[in-house]
Amino acid sequence: MSAFNDLKARDEQFICNTYGRYPLAVDRAQGCHVWDLDGKRYLDLVAGIAVCSLGHSRPELLEVITRQYGKLVHVSNLFYQREQSDLAEKLLGTTHAGKVFFCNSGADANEAAIKLARRYMRTVQGRDAYEILTLSGSFHGRTLATVTATGQEKFREYFDPLPGGFATVPKGDLDAMRAAMGPQTAAVLVEIIQGEGGIRPLEADYVRAVQALCRERGVLFMVDEVQTGMCRTGRFWAHQHHGLTPDVFTVAKPLAGGLPMGAMFATDEAARGFTPGTHATTFGGGALLCAVASKVVDIMLAEDLAGRAEAMGTHARELFAGIAARNPGAIAEVRGMGLMLAVDLGRPAADVWRALLDRGFICNLTHETSLRLVPPLVITREDLDSFAAALEDILRARA
């Protein structure tokens, strides 16, 4: 039995069957590349699903991990920790928000946002408002609350009864949002780009109008930046493209350079909804994770990875436009911002995805027709060129 088949068999024997895994076992990773058990190299255009924004095995992060592990790893949130305050100050320097809550994942961060919105309305505003409005096509996590908030039925199937207090509104329909917003509405939660929805950006005018409506009705405007945050789209935060100032927003994937960490940001006013004992986490914001995340922020700012994402995203779009021009009908649409892109082929694309994998290019197939690209923000023009050349060759062979 080959090493891959042996590992696959052990995985199937011991691990819950919740993932449709790729036919690939990753043995090691460096920079923008990973290697399988046989030593074959692949260009990683998924980056742990937008997690490893600085690439794999970044030496500076290894240095921080080694140093911090020998100093302080975890003591819980019963104690003040310099590493937490240092990270909070750096992150808040990138945004209009005034406070941050550290947690463990994107779902955790969105749960915190939901709880804050409800408690703020009741304890600060004195209103019995609890409902969270979200958009069709959205994705906000896998907990019972966040899967209920998710505007895709397939993620909810067979998990009922689901928690109450959520409603899904058709994306892009401002009249529907206006009609859905009532005395019971505590907050609206949106993604600037719907990642699991197929890399579908919200129209700028629409999302600005939703924020304005929230302000008019006294409803919190919240943004899920779990996947779009921290330079991915060409700004440090995706909502900054449209001049938005959400009352609450969340992040997770890129925060700690590959380690599990999330955060919820709030304005000073919205943060009044939490007081000691009303929300907590055992592991969130541990010293080790905060030290690593601080270094991630330092690198992102020093290397202007937001600007780099914008430039590399523009280059990628030009490459795909060239493919489309030379091969009419091969590409139906390219969506996204910065280095968060979908190449939609307009037809089932599993064969193209598999052919790319066979040639050493890892991307993600979403909604059967779209190749999702969320590579490390340090990816080079040469790597993007090589991917585009392989994609065009494959599309021509299947024309």
Side-chain angles (χ1 to χ4, degrees):
M1 182 180 289
S2 70
F4 172 78
N5 288 332
D6 176 62
L7 179 56
K8 183 173 181 288
R10 290 169 57 220
D11 185 288
E12 292 170 353
Q13 180 181 358
F14 299 126
I15 298 176
C16 283
N17 184 24
T18 61
Y19 300 105
R21 298 199 194 275
Y22 294 177
L24 172 65
V26 176
D27 184 54
R28 63 186 180 92
Q30 182 72 48
C32 295
H33 295 87
V34 302
W35 285 260
D36 68 13
L37 298 175
D38 296 321
K40 180 179 177 179
R41 189 178 80 157
Y42 297 79
L43 177 62
D44 184 6
L45 295 154
V46 176
I49 314 180
V51 168
C52 300
S53 290
L54 304 185
H56 300 282
S57 304
R58 184 92 181 200
E60 300 99 310
L61 301 189
L62 175 59
E63 181 182 346
V64 171
I65 291 169
T66 303
R67 182 176 65 251
Q68 186 65 40
Y69 195 90
K71 178 176 180 264
L72 179 66
V73 176
H74 172 81
V75 290
S76 88
N77 284 298
L78 295 174
F79 305 93
Y80 295 99
Q81 297 164 70
R82 181 183 293 111
E83 292 82 1
Q84 275 193 7
S85 295
D86 289 346
L87 173 59
E89 186 174 12
K90 288 178 183 180
L91 285 168
L92 292 171
T94 69
T95 174
H96 66 284
K99 296 288 190 294
V100 61
F101 172 82
F102 294 122
C103 52
N104 309 297
S105 68
D108 257 5
N110 286 336
E111 286 266 358
I114 291 164
K115 290 178 69 176
L116 177 62
R118 289 178 172 176
R119 199 170 190 282
Y120 171 80
M121 285 298 169
R122 285 166 167 152
T123 64
V124 178
Q125 293 295 323
R127 294 169 45 198
D128 189 25
Y130 56 85
E131 187 175 60
I132 311 298
L133 301 180
T134 60
L135 302 181
S136 59
S138 63
F139 181 85
H140 299 294
R142 298 280 189 166
T143 65
L144 281 177
T146 55
V147 83
T148 307
T150 290
Q152 298 184 64
E153 189 61 36
K154 66 181 180 181
F155 292 108
R156 307 176 191 171
E157 191 175 19
Y158 303 121
F159 291 122
D160 55 309
L162 297 170
F166 296 88
T168 301
V169 178
K171 175 183 64 177
D173 188 337
L174 189 62
D175 289 337
M177 179 64 73
R178 187 177 289 109
M181 198 177 289
Q184 78 285 356
T185 306
V188 175
L189 175 62
V190 305
E191 300 161 278
I192 303 302
I193 302 175
Q194 294 186 334
E196 297 300 323
I199 312 294
R200 298 184 183 276
L202 297 182
E203 292 291 337
D205 288 346
Y206 168 74
V207 73
R208 289 191 194 110
V210 170
Q211 177 179 268
L213 182 61
C214 287
R215 301 283 191 260
E216 176 189 322
R217 301 284 185 90
V219 169
L220 293 183
F221 177 65
M222 308 198 301
V223 176
D224 178 341
E225 293 244 23
V226 168
Q227 188 170 161
T228 58
M230 298 183 70
C231 303
R232 171 61 54 187
T233 67
R235 299 289 185 275
F236 204 93
W237 304 106
H239 63 259
Q240 293 170 339
H241 284 281
H242 307 319
L244 302 170
T245 54
D247 302 291
V248 179
F249 67 95
T250 58
V251 72
K253 289 180 181 293
L255 182 52
L259 300 180
M261 189 177 192
M264 181 209 68
F265 297 83
T267 61
D268 286 321
E269 171 61 23
R272 293 172 62 198
F274 278 165
T275 55
T278 58
H279 191 56
T281 170
T282 297
F283 290 103
L288 176 63
L289 290 170
C290 285
V292 173
S294 284
K295 191 63 177 180
V296 169
V297 176
D298 288 343
I299 292 170
M300 286 182 166
L301 294 174
E303 298 186 4
D304 186 22
L305 291 189
R308 196 172 193 285
E310 186 171 40
M312 290 298 102
T314 298
H315 180 62
R317 283 178 167 278
E318 290 170 352
L319 291 172
F320 302 141
I323 294 173
R326 292 187 294 271
N327 305 273
I331 294 176
E333 183 183 17
V334 178
R335 299 185 297 270
M337 302 164 74
L339 283 173
M340 185 176 181
L341 297 170
V343 181
D344 195 326
L345 304 186
R347 63 175 179 83
D351 59 334
V352 174
W353 171 83
R354 182 56 194 257
L356 285 164
L357 186 65
D358 290 343
R359 293 194 183 201
F361 298 93
I362 302 173
C363 56
N364 183 222
L365 181 64
T366 65
H367 294 254
E368 298 187 355
T369 66
S370 296
L371 303 173
R372 176 167 62 167
L373 309 176
V374 283
L377 302 181
V378 295
I379 194 168
T380 65
R381 290 171 64 95
E382 291 74 20
D383 282 338
L384 289 172
D385 291 346
S386 66
F387 170 75
L391 175 61
E392 182 168 17
D393 190 44
I394 291 165
L395 292 175
R396 282 180 172 172
R398 282 157 174 71

